[in-house]
Amino acid sequence: MNPSYVEELHALPTPAEFARFVQRNRPVVFRGLGFELAIPALKKWDESYLREKLGESELKIAATPLGNADSLVNETFVEPAYLSMTMNTFLDRMKEKKADEVLYLQSQNDNLHEELKDLLDDATSDIPFATEVFGAQPDVANVWIGDDRSVTSVHKDPYENLYLVVHGTKTFHLLPLTEFYCLHERLYSTASYKRASQGEWSIERHDSQIPWIPIDPAESVDLERFPRFKHAQVLTVTLSRGDVLYLPALWFHRVSQTASRDPQAPLAVAVNWWYDLAYDSPTWTLSNLVRKMTLALDGRVEET
Amino acid sequence: MNPSYVEELHALPTPAEFARFVQRNRPVVFRGLGFELAIPALKKWDESYLREKLGESELKIAATPLGNADSLVNETFVEPAYLSMTMNTFLDRMKEKKADEVLYLQSQNDNLHEELKDLLDDATSDIPFATEVFGAQPDVANVWIGDDRSVTSVHKDPYENLYLVVHGTKTFHLLPLTEFYCLHERLYSTASYKRASQGEWSIERHDSQIPWIPIDPAESVDLERFPRFKHAQVLTVTLSRGDVLYLPALWFHRVSQTASRDPQAPLAVAVNWWYDLAYDSPTWTLSNLVRKMTLALDGRVEET
């Protein structure tokens, strides 16, 4: 019952059509929907516009040596270094493409209503058919700006997600929530990247642990080490400019990207809208039950 | 996350509004919706009309001594006797109200398109907002005609259900699919009521078993015998003429009824539309998982 592909539609859905995907917790791609929704960001957000609107605004930028923010490095979960810089500086440094510095605007703090709020009118505050089906405005809207080198490792979010590509492409590797068992989650110590003023990277350990998934579904997976992964079925889908993905709540996803070849916007730019998930839905209950069963099998007990 | 009441709405929902209940697998009552949908059955289906339209049509009628079709009698699951009679005979015998004979038109074989198809134009072939959300016409539409004495014991159906009361009332005792654990289902031998020509009832045993639930959530439950039921939370709701219940797929339900006091239609009459459930939804997966976990706890293995 987990088809091996992501369904695609080429027109605006009615709320009822969209609801069928939500009800089934199944992803769907709407090709060209950004244009159908006439989201001005698609036409406006080139480099000169971003500089003009936000050139001197301070941004919080994730920095890593390899584009590996929030992922496992030598069996440790490593957060990026967070740097504060203006949009102008960020865009300058994105162009430099230093071999040991990958920058990613990925602050998932509702940045479209915060540090990037001057872009809000271009990006619309919601996706109307989704707002109708979820019955409320999005909780959070985020802008993402990066390049080919940044990868987001596999994880899930407790949100219903509508994801629009503005420039470049985004490739999603997707697994339904029921495949948690296959993903060999375990606890890892946490740490953060730090960069000395001379440019050397170090890893600073924290005094905490986080459950994380050690598998990269885009790479060949060591089935001796992760035998349950042989039961997993990964769906992949690539979004281009104007495409919108409905990424259902609690699906596991890994995200990679390519920058646009447009010299006016040599970036990977996206916007996503997070809607509250229904905590009284079978989706949430099923996710918890599968998680608890898997932890019990593995002899893990989790504080809640 | 299982509120103790059934939500109520007093107007036609948009498909998106209805979809929020479907997505959450939560029941909702629409009061007076039959009138809002202008379903002619509500005005037309009195006794003289049923005799005029269908007087000589042959019907399959469930007969029991106590109104207890498809329920447990002395630890055996007993089906009703099925009698063939015309609508005129059925209505005559419903009026007689013999103390040892309870009749119920409850053939769940899409009877609105079969033996009662002359009523189809009065009952509409679907509920439009539901058809839009489920993405297909109903699989099955059934008419139910009975009196106060018939009770349907607690069970679940693999369908999304829209249920309209035409005459009298229907009271539903409802439990979400996740409460399967609390219901102490086990296997019972099956049998059927038989009635000799002299009128004595007997029970004829079959050579098969069926999993059934031994609890009546409308009565006081013996918690020594059924200790898990203390964790159950039963929702109850009563529908009157023109009210529509959305009974989500796989919810456990017990149904009782009262006949209308209208001398022109001294009956309990209802129509329900069964829509296919989404077998790739978390609802279906969760139901199976809860069932399998409970069976495993109880040391039961079930052929699938």
Side-chain angles (χ1 to χ4, degrees), chain A residues 46-61 84-94 105 115-116 119 143 145 267:
Chain A
D46 61 14
E47 191 187 327
S48 59
Y49 183 83
L50 294 175
R51 287 182 186 275
E52 179 195 318
K53 283 286 247 192
L54 289 162
E56 292 310 309
S57 299
E58 284 290 326
L59 307 176
K60 184 183 167 197
I61 302 294
S84 188
M85 64 184 77
T86 65
M87 177 65 88
N88 281 331
T89 306
F90 172 59
L91 293 172
D92 291 344
R93 282 165 74 168
M94 288 298 283
L105 168 59
E115 63 263 40
L116 303 175
L119 299 177
V143 176
I145 304 177
L267 300 162

PDB file of all heavy atoms in Angstrom, chain A residues 46-61 84-94 105 115-116 119 143 145 267:
ATOM      1  N   ASP A  46      15.336  37.594  -7.388  1.00  0.00           N
ATOM      2  CA  ASP A  46      16.693  37.376  -7.873  1.00  0.00           C
ATOM      3  C   ASP A  46      17.655  38.104  -6.929  1.00  0.00           C
ATOM      4  O   ASP A  46      17.247  38.730  -5.951  1.00  0.00           O
ATOM      5  CB  ASP A  46      16.846  37.812  -9.336  1.00  0.00           C
ATOM      6  CG  ASP A  46      16.557  39.294  -9.531  1.00  0.00           C
ATOM      7  OD1 ASP A  46      16.502  40.048  -8.528  1.00  0.00           O
ATOM      8  OD2 ASP A  46      16.373  39.691 -10.686  1.00  0.00           O
ATOM      9  N   GLU A  47      18.943  37.962  -7.236  1.00  0.00           N
ATOM     10  CA  GLU A  47      19.940  38.460  -6.300  1.00  0.00           C
ATOM     11  C   GLU A  47      19.809  39.961  -6.070  1.00  0.00           C
ATOM     12  O   GLU A  47      19.875  40.438  -4.933  1.00  0.00           O
ATOM     13  CB  GLU A  47      21.337  38.122  -6.857  1.00  0.00           C
ATOM     14  CG  GLU A  47      22.406  38.370  -5.827  1.00  0.00           C
ATOM     15  CD  GLU A  47      23.815  38.211  -6.388  1.00  0.00           C
ATOM     16  OE1 GLU A  47      24.020  37.361  -7.293  1.00  0.00           O
ATOM     17  OE2 GLU A  47      24.704  38.952  -5.936  1.00  0.00           O
ATOM     18  N   SER A  48      19.581  40.711  -7.147  1.00  0.00           N
ATOM     19  CA  SER A  48      19.552  42.160  -6.957  1.00  0.00           C
ATOM     20  C   SER A  48      18.340  42.577  -6.119  1.00  0.00           C
ATOM     21  O   SER A  48      18.412  43.495  -5.306  1.00  0.00           O
ATOM     22  CB  SER A  48      19.581  42.889  -8.298  1.00  0.00           C
ATOM     23  OG  SER A  48      18.481  42.501  -9.082  1.00  0.00           O
ATOM     24  N   TYR A  49      17.253  41.879  -6.291  1.00  0.00           N
ATOM     25  CA  TYR A  49      16.053  42.193  -5.496  1.00  0.00           C
ATOM     26  C   TYR A  49      16.291  41.894  -4.008  1.00  0.00           C
ATOM     27  O   TYR A  49      15.921  42.670  -3.132  1.00  0.00           O
ATOM     28  CB  TYR A  49      14.874  41.386  -6.030  1.00  0.00           C
ATOM     29  CG  TYR A  49      13.551  41.654  -5.349  1.00  0.00           C
ATOM     30  CD1 TYR A  49      12.757  42.734  -5.716  1.00  0.00           C
ATOM     31  CD2 TYR A  49      13.079  40.801  -4.349  1.00  0.00           C
ATOM     32  CE1 TYR A  49      11.528  42.971  -5.099  1.00  0.00           C
ATOM     33  CE2 TYR A  49      11.856  41.018  -3.729  1.00  0.00           C
ATOM     34  CZ  TYR A  49      11.073  42.107  -4.104  1.00  0.00           C
ATOM     35  OH  TYR A  49       9.861  42.327  -3.500  1.00  0.00           O
ATOM     36  N   LEU A  50      16.920  40.742  -3.747  1.00  0.00           N
ATOM     37  CA  LEU A  50      17.186  40.387  -2.344  1.00  0.00           C
ATOM     38  C   LEU A  50      18.116  41.422  -1.700  1.00  0.00           C
ATOM     39  O   LEU A  50      17.929  41.799  -0.528  1.00  0.00           O
ATOM     40  CB  LEU A  50      17.790  38.983  -2.245  1.00  0.00           C
ATOM     41  CG  LEU A  50      16.876  37.816  -2.657  1.00  0.00           C
ATOM     42  CD1 LEU A  50      17.637  36.489  -2.620  1.00  0.00           C
ATOM     43  CD2 LEU A  50      15.627  37.724  -1.761  1.00  0.00           C
ATOM     44  N   ARG A  51      19.086  41.875  -2.477  1.00  0.00           N
ATOM     45  CA  ARG A  51      20.002  42.899  -1.936  1.00  0.00           C
ATOM     46  C   ARG A  51      19.254  44.216  -1.699  1.00  0.00           C
ATOM     47  O   ARG A  51      19.451  44.894  -0.676  1.00  0.00           O
ATOM     48  CB  ARG A  51      21.159  43.136  -2.907  1.00  0.00           C
ATOM     49  CG  ARG A  51      22.175  41.985  -2.948  1.00  0.00           C
ATOM     50  CD  ARG A  51      23.332  42.327  -3.897  1.00  0.00           C
ATOM     51  NE  ARG A  51      24.253  41.218  -4.074  1.00  0.00           N
ATOM     52  CZ  ARG A  51      25.277  40.945  -3.256  1.00  0.00           C
ATOM     53  NH1 ARG A  51      25.509  41.710  -2.199  1.00  0.00           N
ATOM     54  NH2 ARG A  51      26.065  39.909  -3.503  1.00  0.00           N
ATOM     55  N   GLU A  52      18.403  44.546  -2.628  1.00  0.00           N
ATOM     56  CA  GLU A  52      17.682  45.817  -2.531  1.00  0.00           C
ATOM     57  C   GLU A  52      16.728  45.811  -1.329  1.00  0.00           C
ATOM     58  O   GLU A  52      16.674  46.765  -0.555  1.00  0.00           O
ATOM     59  CB  GLU A  52      16.895  45.979  -3.841  1.00  0.00           C
ATOM     60  CG  GLU A  52      16.051  47.218  -3.964  1.00  0.00           C
ATOM     61  CD  GLU A  52      15.066  47.051  -5.136  1.00  0.00           C
ATOM     62  OE1 GLU A  52      15.474  46.539  -6.203  1.00  0.00           O
ATOM     63  OE2 GLU A  52      13.881  47.399  -4.955  1.00  0.00           O
ATOM     64  N   LYS A  53      16.005  44.687  -1.157  1.00  0.00           N
ATOM     65  CA  LYS A  53      15.003  44.633  -0.097  1.00  0.00           C
ATOM     66  C   LYS A  53      15.629  44.440   1.278  1.00  0.00           C
ATOM     67  O   LYS A  53      15.116  44.914   2.284  1.00  0.00           O
ATOM     68  CB  LYS A  53      14.039  43.454  -0.331  1.00  0.00           C
ATOM     69  CG  LYS A  53      13.013  43.697  -1.404  1.00  0.00           C
ATOM     70  CD  LYS A  53      11.924  44.652  -0.926  1.00  0.00           C
ATOM     71  CE  LYS A  53      10.594  43.962  -0.812  1.00  0.00           C
ATOM     72  NZ  LYS A  53       9.496  44.946  -0.639  1.00  0.00           N
ATOM     73  N   LEU A  54      16.699  43.626   1.315  1.00  0.00           N
ATOM     74  CA  LEU A  54      17.163  43.129   2.609  1.00  0.00           C
ATOM     75  C   LEU A  54      18.667  43.231   2.785  1.00  0.00           C
ATOM     76  O   LEU A  54      19.230  42.607   3.683  1.00  0.00           O
ATOM     77  CB  LEU A  54      16.789  41.638   2.745  1.00  0.00           C
ATOM     78  CG  LEU A  54      15.314  41.319   2.932  1.00  0.00           C
ATOM     79  CD1 LEU A  54      15.060  39.854   2.613  1.00  0.00           C
ATOM     80  CD2 LEU A  54      14.881  41.622   4.355  1.00  0.00           C
ATOM     81  N   GLY A  55      19.314  44.024   1.904  1.00  0.00           N
ATOM     82  CA  GLY A  55      20.784  44.023   1.865  1.00  0.00           C
ATOM     83  C   GLY A  55      21.434  44.173   3.213  1.00  0.00           C
ATOM     84  O   GLY A  55      22.374  43.454   3.544  1.00  0.00           O
ATOM     85  N   GLU A  56      20.936  45.057   4.041  1.00  0.00           N
ATOM     86  CA  GLU A  56      21.597  45.316   5.322  1.00  0.00           C
ATOM     87  C   GLU A  56      20.912  44.595   6.488  1.00  0.00           C
ATOM     88  O   GLU A  56      21.272  44.811   7.640  1.00  0.00           O
ATOM     89  CB  GLU A  56      21.698  46.822   5.574  1.00  0.00           C
ATOM     90  CG  GLU A  56      22.654  47.519   4.594  1.00  0.00           C
ATOM     91  CD  GLU A  56      24.016  46.816   4.505  1.00  0.00           C
ATOM     92  OE1 GLU A  56      24.636  46.548   5.557  1.00  0.00           O
ATOM     93  OE2 GLU A  56      24.442  46.493   3.360  1.00  0.00           O
ATOM     94  N   SER A  57      19.933  43.746   6.182  1.00  0.00           N
ATOM     95  CA  SER A  57      19.275  43.009   7.267  1.00  0.00           C
ATOM     96  C   SER A  57      20.195  41.926   7.797  1.00  0.00           C
ATOM     97  O   SER A  57      20.897  41.258   7.035  1.00  0.00           O
ATOM     98  CB  SER A  57      18.001  42.326   6.758  1.00  0.00           C
ATOM     99  OG  SER A  57      17.095  43.272   6.278  1.00  0.00           O
ATOM    100  N   GLU A  58      20.154  41.752   9.108  1.00  0.00           N
ATOM    101  CA  GLU A  58      20.970  40.717   9.748  1.00  0.00           C
ATOM    102  C   GLU A  58      20.261  39.364   9.653  1.00  0.00           C
ATOM    103  O   GLU A  58      19.074  39.261   9.979  1.00  0.00           O
ATOM    104  CB  GLU A  58      21.191  41.051  11.231  1.00  0.00           C
ATOM    105  CG  GLU A  58      22.207  42.144  11.483  1.00  0.00           C
ATOM    106  CD  GLU A  58      23.641  41.715  11.177  1.00  0.00           C
ATOM    107  OE1 GLU A  58      23.980  40.519  11.384  1.00  0.00           O
ATOM    108  OE2 GLU A  58      24.428  42.575  10.729  1.00  0.00           O
ATOM    109  N   LEU A  59      20.990  38.385   9.210  1.00  0.00           N
ATOM    110  CA  LEU A  59      20.439  37.035   9.073  1.00  0.00           C
ATOM    111  C   LEU A  59      21.241  36.081   9.935  1.00  0.00           C
ATOM    112  O   LEU A  59      22.425  36.302  10.202  1.00  0.00           O
ATOM    113  CB  LEU A  59      20.528  36.573   7.617  1.00  0.00           C
ATOM    114  CG  LEU A  59      19.927  37.488   6.563  1.00  0.00           C
ATOM    115  CD1 LEU A  59      20.205  36.915   5.169  1.00  0.00           C
ATOM    116  CD2 LEU A  59      18.427  37.663   6.781  1.00  0.00           C
ATOM    117  N   LYS A  60      20.601  34.986  10.306  1.00  0.00           N
ATOM    118  CA  LYS A  60      21.274  33.907  11.035  1.00  0.00           C
ATOM    119  C   LYS A  60      21.521  32.803  10.016  1.00  0.00           C
ATOM    120  O   LYS A  60      20.561  32.249   9.440  1.00  0.00           O
ATOM    121  CB  LYS A  60      20.345  33.427  12.150  1.00  0.00           C
ATOM    122  CG  LYS A  60      20.933  32.368  13.065  1.00  0.00           C
ATOM    123  CD  LYS A  60      19.867  31.921  14.077  1.00  0.00           C
ATOM    124  CE  LYS A  60      20.278  30.658  14.810  1.00  0.00           C
ATOM    125  NZ  LYS A  60      19.126  30.021  15.462  1.00  0.00           N
ATOM    126  N   ILE A  61      22.788  32.532   9.773  1.00  0.00           N
ATOM    127  CA  ILE A  61      23.162  31.617   8.687  1.00  0.00           C
ATOM    128  C   ILE A  61      23.867  30.394   9.272  1.00  0.00           C
ATOM    129  O   ILE A  61      24.783  30.523  10.094  1.00  0.00           O
ATOM    130  CB  ILE A  61      24.115  32.329   7.692  1.00  0.00           C
ATOM    131  CG1 ILE A  61      23.450  33.583   7.108  1.00  0.00           C
ATOM    132  CG2 ILE A  61      24.587  31.377   6.602  1.00  0.00           C
ATOM    133  CD1 ILE A  61      22.242  33.318   6.238  1.00  0.00           C
ATOM    134  N   SER A  84      26.121  35.322  12.181  1.00  0.00           N
ATOM    135  CA  SER A  84      25.242  36.452  11.937  1.00  0.00           C
ATOM    136  C   SER A  84      25.890  37.305  10.854  1.00  0.00           C
ATOM    137  O   SER A  84      27.076  37.643  10.944  1.00  0.00           O
ATOM    138  CB  SER A  84      25.084  37.238  13.243  1.00  0.00           C
ATOM    139  OG  SER A  84      24.110  38.226  13.072  1.00  0.00           O
ATOM    140  N   MET A  85      25.164  37.580   9.812  1.00  0.00           N
ATOM    141  CA  MET A  85      25.718  38.425   8.733  1.00  0.00           C
ATOM    142  C   MET A  85      24.575  39.090   7.983  1.00  0.00           C
ATOM    143  O   MET A  85      23.421  38.663   8.081  1.00  0.00           O
ATOM    144  CB  MET A  85      26.580  37.589   7.776  1.00  0.00           C
ATOM    145  CG  MET A  85      25.828  36.529   7.011  1.00  0.00           C
ATOM    146  SD  MET A  85      26.930  35.491   5.978  1.00  0.00           S
ATOM    147  CE  MET A  85      27.650  34.417   7.215  1.00  0.00           C
ATOM    148  N   THR A  86      24.878  40.115   7.233  1.00  0.00           N
ATOM    149  CA  THR A  86      23.828  40.775   6.448  1.00  0.00           C
ATOM    150  C   THR A  86      23.537  39.955   5.194  1.00  0.00           C
ATOM    151  O   THR A  86      24.339  39.114   4.770  1.00  0.00           O
ATOM    152  CB  THR A  86      24.251  42.188   6.017  1.00  0.00           C
ATOM    153  OG1 THR A  86      25.369  42.054   5.123  1.00  0.00           O
ATOM    154  CG2 THR A  86      24.630  43.064   7.220  1.00  0.00           C
ATOM    155  N   MET A  87      22.398  40.239   4.604  1.00  0.00           N
ATOM    156  CA  MET A  87      22.052  39.586   3.340  1.00  0.00           C
ATOM    157  C   MET A  87      23.133  39.845   2.283  1.00  0.00           C
ATOM    158  O   MET A  87      23.514  38.948   1.546  1.00  0.00           O
ATOM    159  CB  MET A  87      20.680  40.086   2.848  1.00  0.00           C
ATOM    160  CG  MET A  87      20.246  39.524   1.504  1.00  0.00           C
ATOM    161  SD  MET A  87      19.952  37.717   1.493  1.00  0.00           S
ATOM    162  CE  MET A  87      18.212  37.664   1.970  1.00  0.00           C
ATOM    163  N   ASN A  88      23.638  41.081   2.232  1.00  0.00           N
ATOM    164  CA  ASN A  88      24.696  41.382   1.249  1.00  0.00           C
ATOM    165  C   ASN A  88      25.912  40.492   1.470  1.00  0.00           C
ATOM    166  O   ASN A  88      26.462  39.916   0.520  1.00  0.00           O
ATOM    167  CB  ASN A  88      25.104  42.867   1.325  1.00  0.00           C
ATOM    168  CG  ASN A  88      24.096  43.753   0.610  1.00  0.00           C
ATOM    169  OD1 ASN A  88      23.440  43.317  -0.354  1.00  0.00           O
ATOM    170  ND2 ASN A  88      23.958  44.998   1.077  1.00  0.00           N
ATOM    171  N   THR A  89      26.352  40.382   2.710  1.00  0.00           N
ATOM    172  CA  THR A  89      27.509  39.535   3.014  1.00  0.00           C
ATOM    173  C   THR A  89      27.210  38.081   2.677  1.00  0.00           C
ATOM    174  O   THR A  89      28.048  37.375   2.088  1.00  0.00           O
ATOM    175  CB  THR A  89      27.876  39.659   4.518  1.00  0.00           C
ATOM    176  OG1 THR A  89      28.052  41.032   4.819  1.00  0.00           O
ATOM    177  CG2 THR A  89      29.125  38.868   4.846  1.00  0.00           C
ATOM    178  N   PHE A  90      26.033  37.628   3.047  1.00  0.00           N
ATOM    179  CA  PHE A  90      25.647  36.238   2.771  1.00  0.00           C
ATOM    180  C   PHE A  90      25.713  35.964   1.263  1.00  0.00           C
ATOM    181  O   PHE A  90      26.324  34.971   0.824  1.00  0.00           O
ATOM    182  CB  PHE A  90      24.230  35.995   3.315  1.00  0.00           C
ATOM    183  CG  PHE A  90      23.626  34.667   2.926  1.00  0.00           C
ATOM    184  CD1 PHE A  90      24.245  33.465   3.275  1.00  0.00           C
ATOM    185  CD2 PHE A  90      22.422  34.608   2.219  1.00  0.00           C
ATOM    186  CE1 PHE A  90      23.670  32.235   2.918  1.00  0.00           C
ATOM    187  CE2 PHE A  90      21.847  33.396   1.862  1.00  0.00           C
ATOM    188  CZ  PHE A  90      22.486  32.209   2.210  1.00  0.00           C
ATOM    189  N   LEU A  91      25.145  36.861   0.462  1.00  0.00           N
ATOM    190  CA  LEU A  91      25.129  36.619  -0.989  1.00  0.00           C
ATOM    191  C   LEU A  91      26.549  36.709  -1.559  1.00  0.00           C
ATOM    192  O   LEU A  91      26.913  35.931  -2.455  1.00  0.00           O
ATOM    193  CB  LEU A  91      24.180  37.607  -1.678  1.00  0.00           C
ATOM    194  CG  LEU A  91      22.684  37.399  -1.329  1.00  0.00           C
ATOM    195  CD1 LEU A  91      21.839  38.543  -1.903  1.00  0.00           C
ATOM    196  CD2 LEU A  91      22.162  36.051  -1.823  1.00  0.00           C
ATOM    197  N   ASP A  92      27.356  37.610  -1.033  1.00  0.00           N
ATOM    198  CA  ASP A  92      28.765  37.693  -1.469  1.00  0.00           C
ATOM    199  C   ASP A  92      29.480  36.372  -1.189  1.00  0.00           C
ATOM    200  O   ASP A  92      30.174  35.828  -2.052  1.00  0.00           O
ATOM    201  CB  ASP A  92      29.510  38.813  -0.712  1.00  0.00           C
ATOM    202  CG  ASP A  92      29.029  40.200  -1.115  1.00  0.00           C
ATOM    203  OD1 ASP A  92      28.354  40.314  -2.171  1.00  0.00           O
ATOM    204  OD2 ASP A  92      29.297  41.160  -0.357  1.00  0.00           O
ATOM    205  N   ARG A  93      29.293  35.870   0.033  1.00  0.00           N
ATOM    206  CA  ARG A  93      30.016  34.656   0.422  1.00  0.00           C
ATOM    207  C   ARG A  93      29.459  33.424  -0.287  1.00  0.00           C
ATOM    208  O   ARG A  93      30.200  32.461  -0.521  1.00  0.00           O
ATOM    209  CB  ARG A  93      30.010  34.494   1.949  1.00  0.00           C
ATOM    210  CG  ARG A  93      31.056  35.423   2.589  1.00  0.00           C
ATOM    211  CD  ARG A  93      30.901  35.602   4.078  1.00  0.00           C
ATOM    212  NE  ARG A  93      31.319  34.429   4.854  1.00  0.00           N
ATOM    213  CZ  ARG A  93      31.488  34.461   6.179  1.00  0.00           C
ATOM    214  NH1 ARG A  93      31.307  35.603   6.858  1.00  0.00           N
ATOM    215  NH2 ARG A  93      31.846  33.367   6.822  1.00  0.00           N
ATOM    216  N   MET A  94      28.167  33.424  -0.621  1.00  0.00           N
ATOM    217  CA  MET A  94      27.617  32.316  -1.415  1.00  0.00           C
ATOM    218  C   MET A  94      28.315  32.262  -2.771  1.00  0.00           C
ATOM    219  O   MET A  94      28.551  31.184  -3.324  1.00  0.00           O
ATOM    220  CB  MET A  94      26.109  32.499  -1.642  1.00  0.00           C
ATOM    221  CG  MET A  94      25.233  32.274  -0.426  1.00  0.00           C
ATOM    222  SD  MET A  94      25.307  30.598   0.250  1.00  0.00           S
ATOM    223  CE  MET A  94      24.280  29.715  -0.930  1.00  0.00           C
ATOM    224  N   LEU A 105      20.955  29.474   4.537  1.00  0.00           N
ATOM    225  CA  LEU A 105      19.896  30.170   5.270  1.00  0.00           C
ATOM    226  C   LEU A 105      18.786  29.158   5.498  1.00  0.00           C
ATOM    227  O   LEU A 105      18.052  28.800   4.572  1.00  0.00           O
ATOM    228  CB  LEU A 105      19.391  31.377   4.472  1.00  0.00           C
ATOM    229  CG  LEU A 105      18.093  32.037   4.993  1.00  0.00           C
ATOM    230  CD1 LEU A 105      18.250  32.533   6.413  1.00  0.00           C
ATOM    231  CD2 LEU A 105      17.673  33.182   4.091  1.00  0.00           C
ATOM    232  N   GLU A 115      12.944  37.790  10.264  1.00  0.00           N
ATOM    233  CA  GLU A 115      14.009  38.576   9.647  1.00  0.00           C
ATOM    234  C   GLU A 115      13.794  38.823   8.152  1.00  0.00           C
ATOM    235  O   GLU A 115      14.398  39.720   7.569  1.00  0.00           O
ATOM    236  CB  GLU A 115      15.395  37.969   9.923  1.00  0.00           C
ATOM    237  CG  GLU A 115      15.625  36.585   9.352  1.00  0.00           C
ATOM    238  CD  GLU A 115      15.382  35.467  10.364  1.00  0.00           C
ATOM    239  OE1 GLU A 115      14.399  35.572  11.150  1.00  0.00           O
ATOM    240  OE2 GLU A 115      16.144  34.490  10.352  1.00  0.00           O
ATOM    241  N   LEU A 116      12.949  38.019   7.517  1.00  0.00           N
ATOM    242  CA  LEU A 116      12.706  38.191   6.071  1.00  0.00           C
ATOM    243  C   LEU A 116      11.316  38.755   5.797  1.00  0.00           C
ATOM    244  O   LEU A 116      10.775  38.590   4.708  1.00  0.00           O
ATOM    245  CB  LEU A 116      12.883  36.842   5.353  1.00  0.00           C
ATOM    246  CG  LEU A 116      14.235  36.166   5.526  1.00  0.00           C
ATOM    247  CD1 LEU A 116      14.237  34.792   4.864  1.00  0.00           C
ATOM    248  CD2 LEU A 116      15.366  37.020   4.948  1.00  0.00           C
ATOM    249  N   LEU A 119       9.885  40.185   2.636  1.00  0.00           N
ATOM    250  CA  LEU A 119       9.578  39.340   1.469  1.00  0.00           C
ATOM    251  C   LEU A 119       8.181  38.746   1.538  1.00  0.00           C
ATOM    252  O   LEU A 119       7.746  38.070   0.602  1.00  0.00           O
ATOM    253  CB  LEU A 119      10.594  38.186   1.377  1.00  0.00           C
ATOM    254  CG  LEU A 119      12.067  38.555   1.201  1.00  0.00           C
ATOM    255  CD1 LEU A 119      12.918  37.286   1.196  1.00  0.00           C
ATOM    256  CD2 LEU A 119      12.290  39.358  -0.084  1.00  0.00           C
ATOM    257  N   VAL A 143      11.772  30.635   4.599  1.00  0.00           N
ATOM    258  CA  VAL A 143      12.522  30.747   3.341  1.00  0.00           C
ATOM    259  C   VAL A 143      13.838  30.004   3.527  1.00  0.00           C
ATOM    260  O   VAL A 143      14.434  30.045   4.615  1.00  0.00           O
ATOM    261  CB  VAL A 143      12.792  32.233   3.004  1.00  0.00           C
ATOM    262  CG1 VAL A 143      13.658  32.358   1.753  1.00  0.00           C
ATOM    263  CG2 VAL A 143      11.467  32.976   2.821  1.00  0.00           C
ATOM    264  N   ILE A 145      17.620  29.410   1.613  1.00  0.00           N
ATOM    265  CA  ILE A 145      18.521  29.833   0.540  1.00  0.00           C
ATOM    266  C   ILE A 145      19.853  29.109   0.710  1.00  0.00           C
ATOM    267  O   ILE A 145      20.512  29.252   1.752  1.00  0.00           O
ATOM    268  CB  ILE A 145      18.755  31.365   0.543  1.00  0.00           C
ATOM    269  CG1 ILE A 145      17.416  32.118   0.450  1.00  0.00           C
ATOM    270  CG2 ILE A 145      19.677  31.770  -0.607  1.00  0.00           C
ATOM    271  CD1 ILE A 145      17.545  33.651   0.520  1.00  0.00           C
ATOM    272  N   LEU A 267      21.242  30.360  -7.047  1.00  0.00           N
ATOM    273  CA  LEU A 267      20.955  29.893  -5.702  1.00  0.00           C
ATOM    274  C   LEU A 267      19.883  28.810  -5.758  1.00  0.00           C
ATOM    275  O   LEU A 267      19.190  28.656  -6.764  1.00  0.00           O
ATOM    276  CB  LEU A 267      20.391  31.060  -4.859  1.00  0.00           C
ATOM    277  CG  LEU A 267      21.286  32.300  -4.684  1.00  0.00           C
ATOM    278  CD1 LEU A 267      20.449  33.482  -4.225  1.00  0.00           C
ATOM    279  CD2 LEU A 267      22.403  31.990  -3.686  1.00  0.00           C
TER     280      LEU A 267
END
